[in-house]
């Protein structure tokens, strides 16, 4: 039982640290989309601009609250008994949220490439920050639980 609790606390600590980082990346990404929205509306086709706004809405309305809830639960993990199904659900949601950021960057790259442009400095910086996240730690927990 003590070993289970230790493993659970270790997983929750990893989840907490990753989720905090992801929360701020989600927020920064939503801000970046907003910042570019007006300019993009002038240069993107309506369909592309609409897709960017849908992605932004997903980040703000779905991803952010989900990641915030994971942070709250993980922060207080010492007060709950080991629940590896909870950990599995958290990991699945974090992987999904991380993937949403990767998809957004890929979409922006695709749209800009069609116009013969590379990513702006801001988007490149965001890409680098996402690449530096320790997604492997979350994937490892996922492997351990499956």
């Amino acid at each position: 039982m003590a070993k289970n609790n230790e493993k659970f606390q270790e997983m929750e600590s990893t989840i907490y640290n990753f989720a905090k980082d992801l929360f701020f990346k989600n927020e920064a990404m939503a801000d970046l989309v907003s910042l570019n929205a007006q300019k993009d509306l002038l240069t993107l086709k309506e369909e592309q601009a609409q897709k960017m706004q849908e992605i932004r809405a997903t980040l703000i309305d779905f991803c952010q609250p989900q990641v915030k809830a994971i942070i709250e639960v993980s922060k207080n993990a010492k007060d709950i008994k080991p629940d590896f199904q909870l950990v599995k659900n958290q990991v699945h949601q974090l992987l999904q949220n991380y993937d949403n950021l990767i998809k957004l960057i890929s979409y922006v790259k695709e749209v800009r490439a069609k116009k013969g442009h590379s990513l702006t400095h801001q988007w490149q910086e965001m890409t680098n920050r996402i690449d530096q996240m320790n997604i492997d730690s979350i994937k490892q927990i996922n492997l351990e639980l499956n």
Side-chain angles (χ1 to χ4, degrees):
M1 180 70 169
K3 192 164 182 104
N4 262 355
N5 189 48
E6 187 179 312
K7 188 67 176 169
F8 174 74
Q9 294 302 326
E10 181 183 308
M11 288 177 170
E12 283 296 326
S13 175
T14 300
I15 288 168
Y16 176 74
N17 290 329
F18 184 85
K20 278 192 338 185
D21 192 22
L22 184 64
F23 183 84
F24 293 113
K25 299 286 190 303
N26 272 342
E27 202 168 71
M29 192 79 79
D31 288 347
L32 186 55
V33 171
S34 288
L35 183 67
N36 292 313
Q38 294 303 316
K39 182 172 66 171
D40 289 344
L41 286 173
L42 298 174
T43 60
L44 294 178
K45 295 178 182 168
E46 183 179 345
E47 180 182 315
Q48 293 168 327
Q50 185 177 352
K51 183 169 180 173
M52 290 290 285
Q53 289 304 320
E54 287 172 7
I55 293 169
R56 179 181 178 275
T58 299
L59 287 174
I60 292 171
D61 298 338
F62 181 71
C63 297
Q64 282 298 81
Q66 194 176 59
V67 174
K68 189 172 185 173
I70 291 170
I71 291 169
E72 290 302 313
V73 169
S74 294
K75 180 172 66 174
N76 299 313
K78 65 185 177 306
D79 299 331
I80 58 177
K81 65 181 181 182
D83 182 348
F84 292 99
Q85 185 59 46
L86 170 69
V87 172
K88 193 173 186 175
N89 290 341
Q90 290 173 318
V91 165
H92 175 73
Q93 290 170 353
L94 291 173
L95 289 170
Q96 192 174 28
N97 279 280
Y98 178 84
D99 190 49
N100 286 340
L101 296 183
I102 298 298
K103 285 178 183 174
L104 175 57
I105 290 169
S106 294
Y107 182 70
V108 170
K109 280 182 185 177
E110 177 187 318
V111 168
R112 292 196 54 84
K114 285 180 182 176
K115 294 178 173 187
H117 298 89
S118 59
L119 288 177
T120 64
H121 173 73
Q122 292 168 313
W123 279 103
Q124 189 57 56
E125 189 175 308
M126 184 58 69
T127 300
N128 294 341
R129 288 180 182 174
I130 299 297
D131 289 344
Q132 291 170 0
M133 292 182 75
N134 190 5
I135 189 66
D136 290 337
S137 64
I138 300 302
K139 289 179 178 178
Q140 183 58 41
I141 293 172
N142 192 43
L143 284 174
E144 290 176 33
L145 296 175
N146 285 323

